Amino acid sequence: MRPQETPPDGHADIRIVAASPEVARRVTEVLRRCFATREKPSYPADAEGGTRLQLTVDTTSAAEPVRSWLETSRSSGKDGRRK
């Protein structure tokens, strides 16, 4: 295994593991409606046919209402968690 690189500020790497490629695509589509994304290749997750998909989301170009939620969460604590 190679060490994970930290994504640039304002970005997050997301790993989706699903039983089928269609389920992984549905989750990815929801994220694309909220954030600008860069999809990485998908891979088999296991011998039973699951799918592993990785993508990077750009939280600096979020769509509404996600943008409002992100701004509220940033102002409620340094680490993004509500106090």
Side-chain angles (χ1 to χ4, degrees), residues 37-81:
T37 64
R38 188 176 69 232
E39 191 172 324
K40 298 174 184 174
S42 60
Y43 302 95
D46 54 34
E48 285 79 43
T51 298
R52 179 174 49 100
L53 178 70
Q54 248 186 282
L55 64 143
T56 301
V57 298
D58 180 355
T59 64
T60 64
S61 61
E64 288 294 343
V66 173
R67 182 180 325 211
S68 298
W69 177 83
L70 283 170
E71 289 169 0
T72 302
S73 69
R74 283 186 194 124
S75 64
S76 62
K78 279 187 173 179
D79 62 0
R81 287 183 266 163

mmCIF file of all heavy atoms in Angstrom, residues 37-81:
data_model
loop_
_atom_site.group_PDB
_atom_site.id
_atom_site.type_symbol
_atom_site.label_atom_id
_atom_site.label_comp_id
_atom_site.label_asym_id
_atom_site.label_seq_id
_atom_site.Cartn_x
_atom_site.Cartn_y
_atom_site.Cartn_z
ATOM 1 N N THR A 37 -16.722 17.500 -8.821
ATOM 2 C CA THR A 37 -16.008 16.262 -8.498
ATOM 3 C C THR A 37 -15.007 15.903 -9.585
ATOM 4 O O THR A 37 -15.142 16.300 -10.739
ATOM 5 C CB THR A 37 -16.976 15.063 -8.337
ATOM 6 O OG1 THR A 37 -17.621 14.806 -9.584
ATOM 7 C CG2 THR A 37 -18.002 15.328 -7.268
ATOM 8 N N ARG A 38 -14.036 15.120 -9.171
ATOM 9 C CA ARG A 38 -13.075 14.512 -10.088
ATOM 10 C C ARG A 38 -13.071 13.033 -9.755
ATOM 11 O O ARG A 38 -12.659 12.625 -8.680
ATOM 12 C CB ARG A 38 -11.693 15.141 -9.899
ATOM 13 C CG ARG A 38 -10.701 14.689 -10.946
ATOM 14 C CD ARG A 38 -9.372 15.396 -10.799
ATOM 15 N NE ARG A 38 -8.718 14.928 -9.578
ATOM 16 C CZ ARG A 38 -8.235 15.718 -8.624
ATOM 17 N NH1 ARG A 38 -8.325 17.009 -8.734
ATOM 18 N NH2 ARG A 38 -7.660 15.209 -7.563
ATOM 19 N N GLU A 39 -13.558 12.243 -10.680
ATOM 20 C CA GLU A 39 -13.697 10.809 -10.437
ATOM 21 C C GLU A 39 -12.416 10.078 -10.834
ATOM 22 O O GLU A 39 -11.821 10.346 -11.862
ATOM 23 C CB GLU A 39 -14.867 10.266 -11.251
ATOM 24 C CG GLU A 39 -15.266 8.867 -10.877
ATOM 25 C CD GLU A 39 -16.552 8.461 -11.566
ATOM 26 O OE1 GLU A 39 -17.434 9.305 -11.747
ATOM 27 O OE2 GLU A 39 -16.646 7.282 -11.916
ATOM 28 N N LYS A 40 -12.031 9.153 -9.989
ATOM 29 C CA LYS A 40 -10.896 8.288 -10.269
ATOM 30 C C LYS A 40 -11.462 6.956 -10.772
ATOM 31 O O LYS A 40 -12.645 6.690 -10.629
ATOM 32 C CB LYS A 40 -10.061 8.110 -9.005
ATOM 33 C CG LYS A 40 -9.486 9.439 -8.526
ATOM 34 C CD LYS A 40 -8.776 9.314 -7.221
ATOM 35 C CE LYS A 40 -8.318 10.692 -6.765
ATOM 36 N NZ LYS A 40 -7.756 10.677 -5.444
ATOM 37 N N PRO A 41 -10.646 6.099 -11.345
ATOM 38 C CA PRO A 41 -11.154 4.827 -11.862
ATOM 39 C C PRO A 41 -11.820 3.980 -10.777
ATOM 40 O O PRO A 41 -11.473 4.052 -9.612
ATOM 41 C CB PRO A 41 -9.902 4.114 -12.387
ATOM 42 C CG PRO A 41 -8.872 5.166 -12.527
ATOM 43 C CD PRO A 41 -9.214 6.242 -11.545
ATOM 44 N N SER A 42 -12.790 3.158 -11.199
ATOM 45 C CA SER A 42 -13.420 2.232 -10.256
ATOM 46 C C SER A 42 -12.722 0.878 -10.370
ATOM 47 O O SER A 42 -12.140 0.546 -11.401
ATOM 48 C CB SER A 42 -14.914 2.093 -10.542
ATOM 49 O OG SER A 42 -15.123 1.607 -11.847
ATOM 50 N N TYR A 43 -12.783 0.117 -9.287
ATOM 51 C CA TYR A 43 -12.121 -1.177 -9.214
ATOM 52 C C TYR A 43 -13.042 -2.185 -8.550
ATOM 53 O O TYR A 43 -13.896 -1.799 -7.754
ATOM 54 C CB TYR A 43 -10.832 -1.082 -8.365
ATOM 55 C CG TYR A 43 -9.849 -0.072 -8.880
ATOM 56 C CD1 TYR A 43 -9.816 1.213 -8.370
ATOM 57 C CD2 TYR A 43 -8.976 -0.409 -9.904
ATOM 58 C CE1 TYR A 43 -8.914 2.149 -8.849
ATOM 59 C CE2 TYR A 43 -8.073 0.524 -10.390
ATOM 60 C CZ TYR A 43 -8.047 1.799 -9.859
ATOM 61 O OH TYR A 43 -7.166 2.719 -10.336
ATOM 62 N N PRO A 44 -12.845 -3.466 -8.834
ATOM 63 C CA PRO A 44 -13.610 -4.472 -8.078
ATOM 64 C C PRO A 44 -13.259 -4.364 -6.598
ATOM 65 O O PRO A 44 -12.105 -4.176 -6.236
ATOM 66 C CB PRO A 44 -13.120 -5.804 -8.653
ATOM 67 C CG PRO A 44 -12.481 -5.461 -9.963
ATOM 68 C CD PRO A 44 -11.974 -4.054 -9.826
ATOM 69 N N ALA A 45 -14.284 -4.436 -5.734
ATOM 70 C CA ALA A 45 -14.048 -4.320 -4.297
ATOM 71 C C ALA A 45 -13.722 -5.662 -3.676
ATOM 72 O O ALA A 45 -13.001 -5.732 -2.693
ATOM 73 C CB ALA A 45 -15.265 -3.715 -3.608
ATOM 74 N N ASP A 46 -14.278 -6.722 -4.247
ATOM 75 C CA ASP A 46 -14.060 -8.043 -3.677
ATOM 76 C C ASP A 46 -14.382 -9.110 -4.717
ATOM 77 O O ASP A 46 -14.815 -8.812 -5.824
ATOM 78 C CB ASP A 46 -14.910 -8.242 -2.414
ATOM 79 C CG ASP A 46 -16.389 -7.978 -2.650
ATOM 80 O OD1 ASP A 46 -16.899 -8.255 -3.748
ATOM 81 O OD2 ASP A 46 -17.039 -7.482 -1.720
ATOM 82 N N ALA A 47 -14.174 -10.363 -4.351
ATOM 83 C CA ALA A 47 -14.408 -11.481 -5.269
ATOM 84 C C ALA A 47 -15.886 -11.675 -5.591
ATOM 85 O O ALA A 47 -16.235 -12.300 -6.587
ATOM 86 C CB ALA A 47 -13.841 -12.768 -4.663
ATOM 87 N N GLU A 48 -16.788 -11.114 -4.769
ATOM 88 C CA GLU A 48 -18.224 -11.272 -4.990
ATOM 89 C C GLU A 48 -18.774 -10.272 -5.999
ATOM 90 O O GLU A 48 -19.971 -10.248 -6.268
ATOM 91 C CB GLU A 48 -19.000 -11.148 -3.669
ATOM 92 C CG GLU A 48 -18.880 -12.366 -2.768
ATOM 93 C CD GLU A 48 -17.556 -12.357 -2.013
ATOM 94 O OE1 GLU A 48 -17.144 -11.290 -1.508
ATOM 95 O OE2 GLU A 48 -16.931 -13.428 -1.944
ATOM 96 N N GLY A 49 -17.941 -9.393 -6.541
ATOM 97 C CA GLY A 49 -18.386 -8.474 -7.572
ATOM 98 C C GLY A 49 -18.700 -7.071 -7.106
ATOM 99 O O GLY A 49 -19.267 -6.289 -7.854
ATOM 100 N N GLY A 50 -18.353 -6.724 -5.892
ATOM 101 C CA GLY A 50 -18.585 -5.364 -5.425
ATOM 102 C C GLY A 50 -17.714 -4.375 -6.198
ATOM 103 O O GLY A 50 -16.798 -4.743 -6.913
ATOM 104 N N THR A 51 -18.023 -3.099 -6.045
ATOM 105 C CA THR A 51 -17.300 -2.041 -6.743
ATOM 106 C C THR A 51 -16.743 -1.045 -5.746
ATOM 107 O O THR A 51 -17.408 -0.676 -4.795
ATOM 108 C CB THR A 51 -18.250 -1.300 -7.715
ATOM 109 O OG1 THR A 51 -18.710 -2.227 -8.684
ATOM 110 C CG2 THR A 51 -17.549 -0.153 -8.406
ATOM 111 N N ARG A 52 -15.520 -0.609 -5.996
ATOM 112 C CA ARG A 52 -14.889 0.429 -5.185
ATOM 113 C C ARG A 52 -14.620 1.609 -6.109
ATOM 114 O O ARG A 52 -14.022 1.462 -7.167
ATOM 115 C CB ARG A 52 -13.585 -0.075 -4.584
ATOM 116 C CG ARG A 52 -12.869 0.962 -3.736
ATOM 117 C CD ARG A 52 -11.660 0.366 -3.035
ATOM 118 N NE ARG A 52 -10.787 -0.384 -3.913
ATOM 119 C CZ ARG A 52 -9.650 0.084 -4.426
ATOM 120 N NH1 ARG A 52 -9.234 1.283 -4.127
ATOM 121 N NH2 ARG A 52 -8.920 -0.671 -5.206
ATOM 122 N N LEU A 53 -15.104 2.765 -5.718
ATOM 123 C CA LEU A 53 -14.959 3.972 -6.521
ATOM 124 C C LEU A 53 -14.405 5.074 -5.643
ATOM 125 O O LEU A 53 -14.831 5.227 -4.500
ATOM 126 C CB LEU A 53 -16.322 4.383 -7.077
ATOM 127 C CG LEU A 53 -16.392 5.645 -7.904
ATOM 128 C CD1 LEU A 53 -15.692 5.432 -9.245
ATOM 129 C CD2 LEU A 53 -17.832 6.028 -8.132
ATOM 130 N N GLN A 54 -13.460 5.833 -6.182
ATOM 131 C CA GLN A 54 -12.887 6.951 -5.444
ATOM 132 C C GLN A 54 -13.127 8.221 -6.220
ATOM 133 O O GLN A 54 -13.054 8.220 -7.448
ATOM 134 C CB GLN A 54 -11.390 6.746 -5.262
ATOM 135 C CG GLN A 54 -11.004 6.509 -3.831
ATOM 136 C CD GLN A 54 -9.514 6.449 -3.686
ATOM 137 O OE1 GLN A 54 -8.917 5.433 -4.017
ATOM 138 N NE2 GLN A 54 -8.929 7.499 -3.183
ATOM 139 N N LEU A 55 -13.462 9.298 -5.523
ATOM 140 C CA LEU A 55 -13.582 10.583 -6.173
ATOM 141 C C LEU A 55 -13.143 11.672 -5.219
ATOM 142 O O LEU A 55 -13.080 11.474 -4.016
ATOM 143 C CB LEU A 55 -15.003 10.837 -6.680
ATOM 144 C CG LEU A 55 -16.116 10.936 -5.668
ATOM 145 C CD1 LEU A 55 -17.105 11.987 -6.124
ATOM 146 C CD2 LEU A 55 -16.836 9.609 -5.591
ATOM 147 N N THR A 56 -12.813 12.808 -5.781
ATOM 148 C CA THR A 56 -12.429 13.971 -5.007
ATOM 149 C C THR A 56 -13.495 15.030 -5.200
ATOM 150 O O THR A 56 -13.895 15.294 -6.333
ATOM 151 C CB THR A 56 -11.063 14.511 -5.478
ATOM 152 O OG1 THR A 56 -10.092 13.476 -5.318
ATOM 153 C CG2 THR A 56 -10.642 15.727 -4.678
ATOM 154 N N VAL A 57 -13.982 15.602 -4.108
ATOM 155 C CA VAL A 57 -14.971 16.670 -4.196
ATOM 156 C C VAL A 57 -14.323 17.988 -3.807
ATOM 157 O O VAL A 57 -13.449 18.041 -2.962
ATOM 158 C CB VAL A 57 -16.222 16.403 -3.325
ATOM 159 C CG1 VAL A 57 -16.945 15.152 -3.793
ATOM 160 C CG2 VAL A 57 -15.886 16.288 -1.862
ATOM 161 N N ASP A 58 -14.770 19.033 -4.479
ATOM 162 C CA ASP A 58 -14.278 20.384 -4.232
ATOM 163 C C ASP A 58 -15.335 21.119 -3.426
ATOM 164 O O ASP A 58 -16.358 21.526 -3.965
ATOM 165 C CB ASP A 58 -14.027 21.072 -5.567
ATOM 166 C CG ASP A 58 -13.514 22.493 -5.418
ATOM 167 O OD1 ASP A 58 -13.437 23.005 -4.281
ATOM 168 O OD2 ASP A 58 -13.199 23.097 -6.459
ATOM 169 N N THR A 59 -15.098 21.278 -2.136
ATOM 170 C CA THR A 59 -16.085 21.921 -1.268
ATOM 171 C C THR A 59 -16.106 23.434 -1.444
ATOM 172 O O THR A 59 -17.000 24.096 -0.938
ATOM 173 C CB THR A 59 -15.845 21.589 0.220
ATOM 174 O OG1 THR A 59 -14.591 22.133 0.628
ATOM 175 C CG2 THR A 59 -15.867 20.087 0.450
ATOM 176 N N THR A 60 -15.133 23.978 -2.184
ATOM 177 C CA THR A 60 -15.128 25.422 -2.422
ATOM 178 C C THR A 60 -16.095 25.817 -3.530
ATOM 179 O O THR A 60 -16.417 26.982 -3.674
ATOM 180 C CB THR A 60 -13.719 25.938 -2.774
ATOM 181 O OG1 THR A 60 -13.289 25.345 -4.006
ATOM 182 C CG2 THR A 60 -12.734 25.628 -1.659
ATOM 183 N N SER A 61 -16.557 24.844 -4.316
ATOM 184 C CA SER A 61 -17.528 25.150 -5.371
ATOM 185 C C SER A 61 -18.780 24.296 -5.172
ATOM 186 O O SER A 61 -19.260 23.646 -6.084
ATOM 187 C CB SER A 61 -16.924 24.934 -6.761
ATOM 188 O OG SER A 61 -16.528 23.590 -6.924
ATOM 189 N N ALA A 62 -19.282 24.311 -3.951
ATOM 190 C CA ALA A 62 -20.478 23.538 -3.610
ATOM 191 C C ALA A 62 -21.729 24.242 -4.125
ATOM 192 O O ALA A 62 -21.796 25.457 -4.190
ATOM 193 C CB ALA A 62 -20.568 23.367 -2.097
ATOM 194 N N ALA A 63 -22.736 23.438 -4.468
ATOM 195 C CA ALA A 63 -24.031 23.960 -4.897
ATOM 196 C C ALA A 63 -24.893 24.248 -3.673
ATOM 197 O O ALA A 63 -24.674 23.696 -2.603
ATOM 198 C CB ALA A 63 -24.712 22.933 -5.793
ATOM 199 N N GLU A 64 -25.866 25.127 -3.816
ATOM 200 C CA GLU A 64 -26.829 25.362 -2.729
ATOM 201 C C GLU A 64 -27.725 24.140 -2.639
ATOM 202 O O GLU A 64 -27.971 23.518 -3.655
ATOM 203 C CB GLU A 64 -27.664 26.606 -3.026
ATOM 204 C CG GLU A 64 -26.897 27.901 -2.890
ATOM 205 C CD GLU A 64 -26.435 28.229 -1.483
ATOM 206 O OE1 GLU A 64 -26.947 27.648 -0.519
ATOM 207 O OE2 GLU A 64 -25.553 29.050 -1.344
ATOM 208 N N PRO A 65 -28.250 23.720 -1.509
ATOM 209 C CA PRO A 65 -28.090 24.295 -0.187
ATOM 210 C C PRO A 65 -26.850 23.784 0.558
ATOM 211 O O PRO A 65 -26.633 24.157 1.702
ATOM 212 C CB PRO A 65 -29.355 23.870 0.540
ATOM 213 C CG PRO A 65 -29.683 22.547 -0.050
ATOM 214 C CD PRO A 65 -29.258 22.667 -1.521
ATOM 215 N N VAL A 66 -26.043 22.958 -0.082
ATOM 216 C CA VAL A 66 -24.846 22.431 0.567
ATOM 217 C C VAL A 66 -23.903 23.563 0.957
ATOM 218 O O VAL A 66 -23.322 23.550 2.028
ATOM 219 C CB VAL A 66 -24.130 21.414 -0.345
ATOM 220 C CG1 VAL A 66 -22.805 20.982 0.248
ATOM 221 C CG2 VAL A 66 -25.015 20.214 -0.593
ATOM 222 N N ARG A 67 -23.779 24.571 0.113
ATOM 223 C CA ARG A 67 -22.888 25.697 0.403
ATOM 224 C C ARG A 67 -23.275 26.355 1.721
ATOM 225 O O ARG A 67 -22.436 26.639 2.558
ATOM 226 C CB ARG A 67 -22.937 26.713 -0.726
ATOM 227 C CG ARG A 67 -22.001 27.876 -0.526
ATOM 228 C CD ARG A 67 -22.095 28.844 -1.663
ATOM 229 N NE ARG A 67 -22.333 28.094 -2.880
ATOM 230 C CZ ARG A 67 -21.922 28.438 -4.073
ATOM 231 N NH1 ARG A 67 -21.266 29.537 -4.235
ATOM 232 N NH2 ARG A 67 -22.176 27.707 -5.138
ATOM 233 N N SER A 68 -24.588 26.610 1.927
ATOM 234 C CA SER A 68 -25.049 27.222 3.176
ATOM 235 C C SER A 68 -24.710 26.345 4.369
ATOM 236 O O SER A 68 -24.278 26.827 5.410
ATOM 237 C CB SER A 68 -26.559 27.456 3.126
ATOM 238 O OG SER A 68 -26.862 28.343 2.091
ATOM 239 N N TRP A 69 -24.912 25.045 4.223
ATOM 240 C CA TRP A 69 -24.613 24.123 5.321
ATOM 241 C C TRP A 69 -23.123 24.138 5.637
ATOM 242 O O TRP A 69 -22.719 24.180 6.797
ATOM 243 C CB TRP A 69 -25.061 22.703 4.956
ATOM 244 C CG TRP A 69 -24.712 21.724 6.012
ATOM 245 C CD1 TRP A 69 -25.407 21.443 7.146
ATOM 246 C CD2 TRP A 69 -23.541 20.890 6.057
ATOM 247 N NE1 TRP A 69 -24.749 20.495 7.885
ATOM 248 C CE2 TRP A 69 -23.598 20.139 7.236
ATOM 249 C CE3 TRP A 69 -22.460 20.718 5.201
ATOM 250 C CZ2 TRP A 69 -22.617 19.226 7.583
ATOM 251 C CZ3 TRP A 69 -21.475 19.811 5.557
ATOM 252 C CH2 TRP A 69 -21.565 19.076 6.744
ATOM 253 N N LEU A 70 -22.274 24.142 4.608
ATOM 254 C CA LEU A 70 -20.829 24.167 4.842
ATOM 255 C C LEU A 70 -20.409 25.440 5.554
ATOM 256 O O LEU A 70 -19.596 25.409 6.473
ATOM 257 C CB LEU A 70 -20.072 24.046 3.516
ATOM 258 C CG LEU A 70 -20.006 22.658 2.907
ATOM 259 C CD1 LEU A 70 -19.453 22.752 1.490
ATOM 260 C CD2 LEU A 70 -19.164 21.728 3.747
ATOM 261 N N GLU A 71 -20.959 26.571 5.130
ATOM 262 C CA GLU A 71 -20.600 27.834 5.772
ATOM 263 C C GLU A 71 -21.039 27.854 7.230
ATOM 264 O O GLU A 71 -20.301 28.316 8.094
ATOM 265 C CB GLU A 71 -21.211 28.997 4.993
ATOM 266 C CG GLU A 71 -20.517 29.202 3.665
ATOM 267 C CD GLU A 71 -21.238 30.158 2.744
ATOM 268 O OE1 GLU A 71 -22.303 30.695 3.119
ATOM 269 O OE2 GLU A 71 -20.734 30.360 1.628
ATOM 270 N N THR A 72 -22.206 27.322 7.524
ATOM 271 C CA THR A 72 -22.688 27.241 8.900
ATOM 272 C C THR A 72 -21.799 26.320 9.727
ATOM 273 O O THR A 72 -21.443 26.633 10.852
ATOM 274 C CB THR A 72 -24.150 26.729 8.939
ATOM 275 O OG1 THR A 72 -24.943 27.613 8.176
ATOM 276 C CG2 THR A 72 -24.667 26.649 10.354
ATOM 277 N N SER A 73 -21.412 25.170 9.160
ATOM 278 C CA SER A 73 -20.588 24.219 9.912
ATOM 279 C C SER A 73 -19.190 24.776 10.160
ATOM 280 O O SER A 73 -18.592 24.501 11.185
ATOM 281 C CB SER A 73 -20.528 22.867 9.204
ATOM 282 O OG SER A 73 -19.798 22.958 8.003
ATOM 283 N N ARG A 74 -18.662 25.564 9.250
ATOM 284 C CA ARG A 74 -17.342 26.176 9.453
ATOM 285 C C ARG A 74 -17.365 27.169 10.602
ATOM 286 O O ARG A 74 -16.423 27.272 11.365
ATOM 287 C CB ARG A 74 -16.883 26.893 8.188
ATOM 288 C CG ARG A 74 -16.381 25.979 7.129
ATOM 289 C CD ARG A 74 -15.825 26.778 5.973
ATOM 290 N NE ARG A 74 -15.643 25.915 4.833
ATOM 291 C CZ ARG A 74 -16.176 26.104 3.635
ATOM 292 N NH1 ARG A 74 -16.923 27.161 3.398
ATOM 293 N NH2 ARG A 74 -15.965 25.267 2.663
ATOM 294 N N SER A 75 -18.456 27.914 10.713
ATOM 295 C CA SER A 75 -18.530 28.945 11.753
ATOM 296 C C SER A 75 -18.854 28.387 13.124
ATOM 297 O O SER A 75 -18.753 29.093 14.107
ATOM 298 C CB SER A 75 -19.556 30.019 11.363
ATOM 299 O OG SER A 75 -20.842 29.447 11.310
ATOM 300 N N SER A 76 -19.231 27.098 13.188
ATOM 301 C CA SER A 76 -19.621 26.536 14.497
ATOM 302 C C SER A 76 -18.459 25.839 15.211
ATOM 303 O O SER A 76 -18.626 25.367 16.316
ATOM 304 C CB SER A 76 -20.779 25.558 14.322
ATOM 305 O OG SER A 76 -20.389 24.469 13.512
ATOM 306 N N GLY A 77 -17.297 25.761 14.606
ATOM 307 C CA GLY A 77 -16.148 25.153 15.269
ATOM 308 C C GLY A 77 -14.988 25.013 14.315
ATOM 309 O O GLY A 77 -15.165 24.911 13.110
ATOM 310 N N LYS A 78 -13.775 24.989 14.833
ATOM 311 C CA LYS A 78 -12.580 24.897 14.002
ATOM 312 C C LYS A 78 -12.533 23.628 13.182
ATOM 313 O O LYS A 78 -12.115 23.623 12.058
ATOM 314 C CB LYS A 78 -11.318 24.974 14.867
ATOM 315 C CG LYS A 78 -10.935 26.346 15.257
ATOM 316 C CD LYS A 78 -9.603 26.281 15.956
ATOM 317 C CE LYS A 78 -9.083 27.662 16.229
ATOM 318 N NZ LYS A 78 -7.824 27.629 16.930
ATOM 319 N N ASP A 79 -12.923 22.503 13.799
ATOM 320 C CA ASP A 79 -12.803 21.233 13.103
ATOM 321 C C ASP A 79 -14.057 20.877 12.307
ATOM 322 O O ASP A 79 -14.167 19.779 11.793
ATOM 323 C CB ASP A 79 -12.465 20.103 14.090
ATOM 324 C CG ASP A 79 -13.531 19.893 15.132
ATOM 325 O OD1 ASP A 79 -14.555 20.604 15.117
ATOM 326 O OD2 ASP A 79 -13.328 19.016 15.990
ATOM 327 N N GLY A 80 -15.015 21.791 12.179
ATOM 328 C CA GLY A 80 -16.206 21.548 11.385
ATOM 329 C C GLY A 80 -17.312 20.838 12.125
ATOM 330 O O GLY A 80 -18.385 20.655 11.601
ATOM 331 N N ARG A 81 -17.046 20.412 13.369
ATOM 332 C CA ARG A 81 -18.087 19.754 14.151
ATOM 333 C C ARG A 81 -18.799 20.770 14.999
ATOM 334 O O ARG A 81 -18.202 21.698 15.522
ATOM 335 C CB ARG A 81 -17.480 18.666 15.040
ATOM 336 C CG ARG A 81 -17.050 17.462 14.230
ATOM 337 C CD ARG A 81 -16.539 16.403 15.151
ATOM 338 N NE ARG A 81 -15.087 16.601 15.202
ATOM 339 C CZ ARG A 81 -14.299 16.100 16.107
ATOM 340 N NH1 ARG A 81 -14.778 15.388 17.082
ATOM 341 N NH2 ARG A 81 -13.013 16.301 16.077
#
